[in-house]
Amino acid sequence: WVSLANYGAPGDATKRTYAFLREAQTQTLALPNTGQALAIDVGNPDDIHPVNKQDVGRRLALLAKNRVYGITGDDTGPTFAGAAREGAALRVKLAHASGLIARDKPVQALELAGADKVFRPATARIERDTLLVSSPTVKDPVAVRYAWTNSPDANLYNGAGLPAVPFRSDNW
């Protein structure tokens, strides 16, 4: 399947409904013989149907080549594998993150929360296949989110050019 693209979802006051739907799609990967091609970076905030079908098709083809035809290679982008406190920051571990890069600008769409459970904008430094995420307004972070809105500016990719799967470390 193709995950929901970045879309503004007019009328959604929380601006996060699609993030929860994408999370449900990703959780379905626990079922056998499944695969997910991300469209988080090719959508249009004003139109739920992405114009860029070529990248979506290429990502679906990578899944088929690897999982059906046994032609091994990367078929998914960086995937959340955990977060641990490191001083006033959180170290985010990612699987499938070889060659981790932020395209065109620093990593966007990051948020941190402290014990108050209020998420605030954050920045990150890429260190190999991890992110060191911090925010001057969150001194004691306990949770991190990436691309956790309806239409995030998702610009984190692995070396194969596949976008990172939106994630959250909390369950609030």
Side-chain angles (χ1 to χ4, degrees):
W1 68 85
V2 177
S3 69
L4 292 172
N6 49 324
Y7 172 60
D12 179 6
T14 70
K15 299 190 185 304
R16 295 185 188 274
T17 299
Y18 274 50
F20 288 98
L21 289 171
R22 284 187 205 101
E23 179 181 54
Q25 288 179 304
T26 299
Q27 289 170 342
T28 306
L29 290 169
L31 297 172
N33 302 314
T34 58
Q36 172 177 252
L38 292 182
I40 191 68
D41 60 330
V42 297
N44 177 339
D46 300 319
D47 185 352
I48 195 162
H49 301 286
V51 173
N52 182 349
K53 307 282 194 263
Q54 291 79 16
D55 280 335
V56 174
R58 183 181 69 81
R59 293 168 187 174
L60 287 167
L62 289 173
L63 286 166
K65 283 170 53 176
N66 188 32
R67 299 177 188 205
V68 176
Y69 297 106
I71 303 170
T72 58
D74 292 322
D75 66 4
T76 190
T79 306
F80 181 74
R85 182 77 178 272
E86 206 168 289
L90 287 180
R91 169 84 54 192
V92 175
K93 295 179 183 175
L94 299 162
H96 311 288
S98 179
L100 192 63
I101 62 163
R103 210 176 265 174
D104 300 327
K105 52 191 163 190
V107 182
Q108 303 293 295
L110 285 163
E111 299 173 291
L112 280 179
D116 62 0
K117 299 182 180 181
V118 176
F119 281 90
R120 295 178 174 86
T123 59
R125 187 171 68 233
I126 295 174
E127 295 180 357
R128 295 186 182 224
D129 59 353
T130 70
L131 297 173
L132 189 62
V133 183
S134 62
S135 173
T137 58
V138 182
K139 300 296 181 201
D140 297 310
V142 298
V144 60
R145 291 179 175 179
Y146 169 72
W148 203 257
T149 62
N150 291 342
S151 186
D153 185 3
N155 73 327
L156 187 62
Y157 295 81
N158 64 14
L162 297 169
V165 178
F167 65 82
R168 64 182 178 144
S169 65
D170 64 283
N171 62 358
W172 312 324

